């Protein structure tokens, strides 16, 4: 980053963060504190009202605001591709806002930048490998987003991919929504479940009859969605071997449960981590005779049982 770009970036960073120390700015822009001191002096001499407080850092004088700056071609392309992603993966309201944002960005670009941006974008296309989000799921995103902001509980029917101990796959849940996370192309609700009395993860695609309740909730003071990491409950290791001819296809499948793989002359050896071995049953069967379960024996037996059932059907 050259000096001119760094000076502008410093002003924008102070405008965004409020107060920053020279050490913070040096770390942000990967330079020395001595250089930051010189930059602050240069900005002050140029008329930018920067105040410095010993021990606290630098800040812009109250009321100072840097007007919108022009975008480079690369910045404009990044923003416009971002609007494409929002249209694909968010609810209808944000999809509409993404479209209006795209028009505004294109409108303020200089003609030369707009032409070059259009040329670059013509060589890039964002295709959702996981498919477009369905209408019901988009409605759920919007409902849950509003419920989270209003701190209202929600109620919904939920279908699990495997039955509970009592054999039931379906249940009715009431939960306090803490936030939404996009994982491997699927939206997940992070919420405190009243039925389980703990923080749980719910796939929006498995929800139905979602309603917002009058009851309110309070966010735990120590909860931060950006720092949240789910408790690890996948403790079962599964070893699978794939024939060399399909090794590249298996790698491209990018299974959520795959933890490691090794290439050998006789094929690809993979390690998966799951809650129950049956979670990989359909995945294994989908590859036919080109993959073989090495362990555990319980999964080998389940594959054998399913193969025998299929043989009887044919």
């Amino acid at each position: 980053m050259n000096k001119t770009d760094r000076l502008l970036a410093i002003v924008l960073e102070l405008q965004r963060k409020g107060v920053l120390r020279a050490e913070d700015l040096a770390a942000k822009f990967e330079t020395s504190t001595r250089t930051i001191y010189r930059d602050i002096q240069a900005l002050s001499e140029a008329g930018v009202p920067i105040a410095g407080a010993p021990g606290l850092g630098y800040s812009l004088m109250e009321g100072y605001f840097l007007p919108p700056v022009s975008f480079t071609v690369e910045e404009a392309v990044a923003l416009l591709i971002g609007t494409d992603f929002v249209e694909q993966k968010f609810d209808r309201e944000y999809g509409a806002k993404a479209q209006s944002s795209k028009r505004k960005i294109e409108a303020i670009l200089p003609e030369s930048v707009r032409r070059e941006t259009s040329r670059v974008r013509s060589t890039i296309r964002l295709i959702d490998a996981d498919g477009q989000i369905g209408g019901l799921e988009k409605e759920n995103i919007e409902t849950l987003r509003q419920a989270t902001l209003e701190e209202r509980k929600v109620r919904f029917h939920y279908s699990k991919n495997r039955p509970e101990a009592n054999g039931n796959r379906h249940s009715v849940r009431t939960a306090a929504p803490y936030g939404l996370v996009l994982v491997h192309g699927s939206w997940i609700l992070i919420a405190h479940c009243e039925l389980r009395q703990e923080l749980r993860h719910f796939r929006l695609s498995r929800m139905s009859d979602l309603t917002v309740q009058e009851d309110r909730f309070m966010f735990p003071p120590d909860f931060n969605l950006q720092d949240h990491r789910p408790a690890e409950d996948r403790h079962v290791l599964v070893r699978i071997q794939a024939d060399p001819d399909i090794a590249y296809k298996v790698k491209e499948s990018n299974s959520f449960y795959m933890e490691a793989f090794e290439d050998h002359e006789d094929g690809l050896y993979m390690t998966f981590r799951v809650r129950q071995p049956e979670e990989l049953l359909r995945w294994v069967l989908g590859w036919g005779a080109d993959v073989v379960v090495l362990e555990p024996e319980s999964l080998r037996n389940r594959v054998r049982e399913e193969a025998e059932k299929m043989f009887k059907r044919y």
Side-chain angles (χ1 to χ4, degrees):
M1 180 180 291
N2 60 42
K3 181 177 180 179
T4 301
D5 290 340
R6 190 173 62 250
L7 292 177
L8 175 60
I10 288 174
V11 176
L12 293 175
E13 195 70 8
L14 290 174
Q15 187 170 286
R16 188 168 66 94
K17 293 290 185 64
V19 180
L20 287 171
R21 300 175 305 159
E23 292 83 356
D24 300 326
L25 292 168
K28 172 71 177 178
F29 300 111
E30 298 180 349
T31 187
S32 66
T33 53
R34 184 181 296 275
T35 298
I36 295 298
Y37 293 145
R38 289 197 293 264
D39 289 343
I40 295 296
Q41 182 178 352
L43 287 169
S44 298
E45 292 173 353
V48 178
I50 296 180
L56 294 178
Y58 298 106
S59 63
L60 294 172
M61 296 290 289
E62 186 175 354
Y64 180 82
F65 182 79
L66 187 69
V69 296
S70 59
F71 296 116
T72 65
V73 171
E74 293 77 12
E75 290 169 340
V77 169
L79 290 172
L80 293 173
I81 290 178
T83 62
D84 293 339
F85 179 81
V86 171
E87 285 186 62
Q88 285 189 12
K89 284 296 186 183
F90 284 69
D91 56 69
R92 292 187 180 90
E93 181 180 347
Y94 269 109
K97 295 296 187 290
Q99 291 181 0
S100 62
S101 298
K102 182 188 301 183
R103 291 192 292 269
K104 289 179 181 179
I105 293 170
E106 292 174 335
I108 65 172
L109 294 177
E111 180 60 28
S112 59
V113 175
R114 185 162 57 247
R115 284 198 307 267
E116 183 63 12
T117 300
S118 178
R119 189 181 74 84
V120 175
R121 289 195 73 211
S122 69
T123 66
I124 301 171
R125 184 182 177 192
L126 181 63
I127 296 180
D128 182 9
D130 299 300
Q132 295 283 346
I133 288 181
L136 178 60
E137 193 170 352
K138 283 198 172 186
E139 290 180 12
N140 287 346
I141 293 173
E142 186 169 357
T143 301
L144 290 168
R145 183 168 54 77
Q146 291 296 333
T148 304
L149 293 175
E150 296 173 7
E151 299 184 2
R152 292 186 182 276
K153 295 180 180 180
V154 294
R155 182 180 175 87
F156 53 90
H157 287 78
Y158 194 67
S159 301
K160 301 199 69 173
N161 65 337
R162 64 181 189 275
E164 301 280 359
N166 58 11
N168 292 334
R169 287 181 178 270
H170 308 281
S171 60
V172 178
R173 306 294 182 98
T174 299
Y178 290 172
L180 293 163
V181 180
L182 187 64
V183 181
H184 291 284
S186 299
W187 279 105
I188 306 294
L189 170 68
I190 310 298
H192 184 272
C193 177
E194 292 190 353
L195 179 65
R196 304 303 182 200
Q197 285 298 304
E198 63 182 359
L199 204 62
R200 301 297 287 262
H201 296 182
F202 301 98
R203 282 180 178 264
L204 269 61
S205 59
R206 297 176 185 165
M207 289 183 182
S208 61
D209 300 325
L210 173 66
T211 58
V212 180
Q213 307 297 291
E214 290 298 322
D215 294 344
R216 293 182 175 273
F217 69 91
M218 294 182 62
F219 281 93
D222 59 345
F223 179 81
N224 186 322
L225 183 63
Q226 308 306 319
D227 298 330
H228 173 67
R229 295 293 181 272
E232 181 57 72
D233 58 353
R234 295 182 292 133
H235 303 299
V236 179
L237 293 181
V238 176
R239 289 274 293 165
I240 295 176
Q241 177 188 359
D243 288 351
D245 292 341
I246 68 161
Y248 73 97
K249 292 182 180 180
V250 175
K251 292 177 185 177
E252 290 175 353
S253 70
N254 192 28
S255 171
F256 174 77
Y257 298 107
M258 189 184 297
E259 191 170 76
F261 61 82
E262 298 177 358
D263 285 298
H264 294 272
E265 291 185 3
D266 58 342
L268 182 70
Y269 286 76
M270 299 163 287
T271 301
F272 298 80
R273 186 179 292 274
V274 297
R275 299 178 186 88
Q276 298 179 4
E278 288 73 16
E279 289 177 316
L280 285 174
L281 180 61
R282 295 187 182 276
W283 188 88
V284 172
L285 293 172
W287 295 102
D290 290 325
V291 303
V292 58
V293 175
L294 302 178
E295 57 179 311
E297 189 64 27
S298 61
L299 182 55
R300 290 173 58 86
N301 292 335
R302 286 289 288 117
V303 173
R304 187 181 298 111
E305 291 171 4
E306 289 298 318
E308 290 173 352
K309 291 178 183 178
M310 292 173 63
F311 180 75
K312 291 178 180 179
R313 281 182 172 270
Y314 289 93

